[in-house]
């Protein structure tokens, strides 16, 4: 049986995601070594560090959007969509973290797409508020930031083999919608 090898470009992108998530200041030579390609090959695909970063940002956004679109296709509510999206993003949270942390937002096209994605999240949260999922007095941006933070926390637990992806998604959703305290639970004060 033939094994399928990723293209050099795909190998470079994956190596860059893995390397930069551990060492944001890693050199392009380190990326090339990790990808199993020469520096000339890396530079043939990506003429500069900025070009590589832009490609990483676009790849991350595309992967996240594809995963979310597939997960929310048959949702019955905005709340259900947010829950399903959260579960779909957790395995790709490293990509989401990359988009939020790296200086790729200096690229106008990437920044505009990122802003649009954040606006869509806030719109979905507003709709979920109208469905009664979230307290209408809690600022939407706070909920959005919490949502993003819980995704990354869940991913870290999965990465560290402390939880399965399903367990992490369930705990993240529970934390988002019910918090961590005992206030309001039967028999508790």
């Amino acid at each position: 049986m033939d094994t399928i090898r990723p293209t050099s470009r795909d190998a470079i992108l994956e190596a860059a995601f893995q390397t930069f998530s551990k060492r944001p200041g890693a050199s392009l030579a380190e990326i090339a070594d990790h990808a199993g390609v020469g520096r000339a090959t890396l530079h043939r695909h990506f003429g500069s560090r900025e070009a590589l970063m832009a490609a990483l940002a676009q790849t991350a956004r595309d992967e996240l959007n594809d995963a979310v679109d597939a997960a929310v296709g048959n949702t019955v509510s905005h709340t259900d969509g947010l829950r399903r999206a959260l579960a779909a993003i957790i395995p790709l949270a490293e990509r989401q973290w990359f988009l939020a942390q790296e200086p790729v937002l200096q690229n106008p096209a990437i920044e505009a797409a990122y802003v649009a994605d954040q606006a869509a999240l806030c719109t979905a949260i507003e709709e979920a508020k109208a469905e009664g999922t979230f307290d209408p007095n809690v600022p939407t941006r706070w909920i959005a930031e919490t949502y993003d933070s819980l995704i990354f926390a869940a991913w870290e637990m999965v990465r560290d083999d402390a939880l399965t992806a399903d367990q992490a998604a369930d705990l993240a959703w529970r934390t988002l919608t019910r918090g961590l305290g005992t206030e309001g639970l039967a028999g508790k004060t």
Side-chain angles (χ1 to χ4, degrees), residues 69-94:
D69 289 348
V72 303
N74 297 321
T75 57
V76 296
S77 67
H78 287 70
T79 299
D80 189 40
L82 285 166
R83 183 187 56 76
R84 288 183 186 198
L86 181 142
I89 293 170
I90 287 171
L92 300 172
E94 183 177 65

Side-chain angles (χ1 to χ4, degrees), residues 11-96:
I12 292 165
L13 289 171
E14 189 56 39
F17 275 125
Q18 291 174 9
T19 304
F20 286 144
S21 72
K22 294 178 182 113
R23 291 183 318 283
S27 70
L28 293 183
E30 290 176 81
I31 303 300
D33 287 345
H34 188 69
V37 300
R39 287 174 42 191
T41 300
L42 185 145
H43 286 288
R44 188 169 46 254
H45 290 283
F46 306 102
S48 66
R49 183 180 193 89
E50 292 76 25
L52 175 59
M53 293 302 224
L56 287 168
Q58 189 60 53
T59 300
R61 186 171 182 278
D62 291 346
E63 288 176 355
L64 288 165
N65 285 341
D66 290 348
V68 169
D69 289 348
V72 303
N74 297 321
T75 57
V76 296
S77 67
H78 287 70
T79 299
D80 189 40
L82 285 166
R83 183 187 56 76
R84 288 183 186 198
L86 181 142
I89 293 170
I90 287 171
L92 300 172
E94 183 177 65
R95 269 49 168 168
Q96 182 193 35

Side-chain angles (χ1 to χ4, degrees), residues 98-170:
F98 176 84
L99 281 173
Q101 300 299 316
E102 291 301 316
V104 295
L105 293 182
Q106 296 170 3
N107 178 311
I110 294 168
E111 181 179 12
Y114 181 78
V115 168
D117 289 345
Q118 289 302 109
L121 173 60
C122 288
T123 298
I125 289 168
E126 284 291 327
E127 294 294 336
K129 279 183 177 183
E131 294 168 356
T133 303
F134 300 115
D135 183 338
N137 297 312
V138 176
T140 297
R141 184 160 178 232
W142 178 262
I143 297 169
E145 292 290 333
T146 303
Y147 185 88
D148 285 344
S149 296
L150 285 168
I151 289 170
F152 187 70
W155 170 76
E156 285 185 314
M157 296 292 284
V158 172
R159 179 199 63 196
D160 295 344
D161 292 323
L163 296 171
T164 67
D166 287 342
Q167 290 169 328
D170 288 344

